[in-house]
């Protein structure tokens, strides 16, 4: 019996073909498209799509026989926001966490070692023998205790940090000294020297960190957001940084991307802006997940990492 045909819809669609060896051996019909315009010519009733959520969402009306979409991104907001929900949607886990852990720990270490100040003193030809700080013994508060949060927690423990988390209902998670429920947000924010956000974009997470939340944090707290841009009230963050209510922040995600040139975030004091680079969807990683799920799909087995449309993740 012919295996279900696959449409790969991604800017790097061609990179996936040599990685899908199992499907090739089974003679699965695969079409690759790198943009929505080209997708219209490639649509041929494929029931399976491997693709970027934004590109897939644009062609959903043209996929009447769709049964399953495997996202190539961690975030699936364009598909969650689309009214069509008569198909299985699977996400990605175990891939982005290690990358994000490296990103987060790099900025935490840079702050403790005072890399920016040392570089400035070098440019000024000034000897600056001020001591470095240490992560050991400091508290890292993770807003989000899923797979990515746990990867960051493991990396932080290697540096002797204490871990506390925040999730929807406060259920305990291995490796965390304490986990708070979402309704305890302000209590959670009171202790950590470092607060890291790894939440997906949902209605519940929208502007979770607002002016009140920033006032609940320590004045020497440092914020990193590698989750989604909707979590932070950006204007409130600029005000908090300007007023000295926070020691600093690193943002990799924003409400609007690319970040508009007129955004006040660019010039906010002690704020580092990066262009959504904390983790990258690498075809070898995504292809391995897709091939495993494809095998499950044709065998009638439960798929891994199924997304709940109501919860948004």
């Amino acid at each position: 019996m012919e295996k279900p045909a696959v449409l790969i819809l991604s800017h790097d669609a061609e990179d996936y073909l040599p990685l899908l060896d199992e499907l090739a051996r089974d003679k699965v019909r695969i079409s690759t498209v790198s943009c929505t315009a080209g997708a219209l010519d490639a649509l041929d009733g494929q029931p399976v799509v491997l693709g970027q959520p934004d590109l897939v969402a644009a062609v959903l009306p043209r996929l009447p026989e769709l049964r399953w979409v495997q996202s190539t991104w961690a975030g699936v907001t364009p598909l969650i926001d689309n009214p069509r929900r008569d198909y299985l949607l699977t996400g990605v886990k175990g891939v982005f966490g290690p990358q994000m852990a490296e990103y987060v720990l790099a900025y935490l270490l840079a702050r403790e070692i005072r890399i920016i100040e040392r570089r400035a003193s070098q440019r000024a030809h000034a000897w600056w023998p001020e001591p470095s700080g240490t992560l050991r013994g400091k508290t890292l508060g993770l807003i989000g205790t899923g797979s990515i949060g746990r990867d960051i927690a493991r990396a932080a423990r290697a540096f002797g940090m204490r871990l506390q988390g925040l999730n929807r209902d406060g259920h305990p998670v291995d490796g965390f000294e304490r986990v708070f429920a979402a309704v305890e947000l302000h209590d959670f924010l009171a202790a950590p020297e470092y607060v890291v956000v790894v939440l997906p974009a949902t209605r519940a997470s929208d502007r979770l960190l607002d002016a009140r939340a920033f006032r609940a944090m320590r004045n020497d707290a440092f914020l990193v957001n590698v989750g989604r841009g909707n979590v932070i009230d950006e204007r409130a963050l600029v005000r908090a940084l300007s007023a000295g209510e926070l020691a600093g922040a690193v943002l990799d995600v924003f409400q609007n991307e690319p970040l508009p040139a007129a955004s006040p975030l660019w010039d906010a004091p002690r704020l580092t802006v990066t262009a959504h680079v904390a983790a990258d969807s690498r075809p070898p990683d995504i292809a391995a997940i897709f091939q495993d799920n494809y095998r499950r799909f044709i065998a009638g087995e439960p798929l891994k990492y199924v997304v709940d449309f109501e919860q948004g993740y």
Side-chain angles (χ1 to χ4, degrees), residues 207 209 214 223 225 229-234 237 251 255:
R207 288 177 171 78
L209 295 185
F214 295 135
L223 172 69
N225 187 11
N230 74 302
V231 178
I232 291 179
D233 183 330
E234 294 176 350
L237 176 60
L251 302 184
Q255 293 173 14

Side-chain angles (χ1 to χ4, degrees), residues 50 68 70-71 90-96 283-296 304-305:
L50 166 65
W68 165 41
Q70 171 66 61
S71 171
T90 53
V92 179
K93 293 187 184 296
V95 168
F96 301 117
D285 298 326
I286 308 302
I289 292 173
F290 176 66
Q291 287 198 136
D292 180 37
N293 260 346
Y294 187 89
R295 178 192 61 77
R296 293 166 178 267
K304 297 173 71 174
Y305 316 136

Side-chain angles (χ1 to χ4, degrees), residues 192-208:
E193 287 92 347
Y194 291 97
V195 175
V196 175
V197 181
V198 289
L199 290 180
T202 66
R203 288 188 294 273
S205 67
D206 196 41
R207 288 177 171 78
L208 183 70

Side-chain angles (χ1 to χ4, degrees), residues 15 22 34 46 102 106 111 161 178 221 227 270-271 275 303:
D15 295 340
E22 293 181 18
S34 60
Q46 295 95 335
E102 291 182 1
R111 179 167 183 259
M161 299 192 78
R178 182 178 177 186
R270 302 177 307 284
L271 173 63
L303 303 188

Side-chain angles (χ1 to χ4, degrees), residues 51-233:
Q52 296 178 201
D54 58 339
L55 300 184
V56 177
V59 299
L60 275 180
R62 305 293 190 97
L63 294 166
E65 299 180 40
L66 181 66
R67 295 170 58 198
W68 165 41
V69 172
Q70 171 66 61
S71 171
T72 61
W73 293 355
V76 291
T77 301
L79 293 170
I80 295 296
D81 289 345
N82 193 290
R84 183 176 176 185
R85 297 184 171 185
D86 61 345
Y87 61 93
L88 276 172
L89 172 60
T90 53
V92 179
K93 293 187 184 296
V95 168
F96 301 117
Q99 296 182 55
M100 289 187 173
E102 291 182 1
Y103 175 99
V104 169
L105 267 295
Y107 279 101
L108 269 56
L109 287 166
R111 179 167 183 259
E112 292 293 341
I113 297 171
R114 307 174 78 171
I115 286 177
I116 292 175
E117 296 93 331
R118 297 190 195 287
R119 183 61 180 167
S121 69
Q122 179 180 342
R123 287 197 298 269
H125 295 195
W127 189 256
W128 197 66
E130 294 299 315
S132 296
T134 180
L135 293 177
R136 182 167 299 278
K138 291 191 169 73
T139 298
L140 171 61
L142 280 156
I143 301 182
T145 59
S147 61
I148 292 174
R150 292 193 297 271
D151 277 325
I152 296 172
R154 278 191 288 270
R157 280 198 299 274
F159 288 92
M161 299 192 78
R162 304 177 64 181
L163 279 301
Q164 68 178 39
L166 182 90
N167 57 35
R168 187 172 52 182
D169 56 9
H171 66 269
V173 179
D174 287 346
F176 288 79
E177 294 184 11
R178 182 178 177 186
V179 178
F180 293 74
V183 295
E184 302 174 293
L185 173 65
H186 293 167
D187 292 333
F188 160 83
L189 291 172
E193 287 92 347
Y194 291 97
V195 175
V196 175
V197 181
V198 289
L199 290 180
T202 66
R203 288 188 294 273
S205 67
D206 196 41
R207 288 177 171 78
L208 183 70
L209 295 185
D210 57 10
R212 286 187 62 217
F214 295 135
R215 287 194 294 271
M217 294 170 66
R218 303 164 52 128
N219 287 350
D220 62 349
F222 191 83
L223 172 69
V224 181
N225 187 11
V226 291
R228 284 293 177 262
N230 74 302
V231 178
I232 291 179
D233 183 330

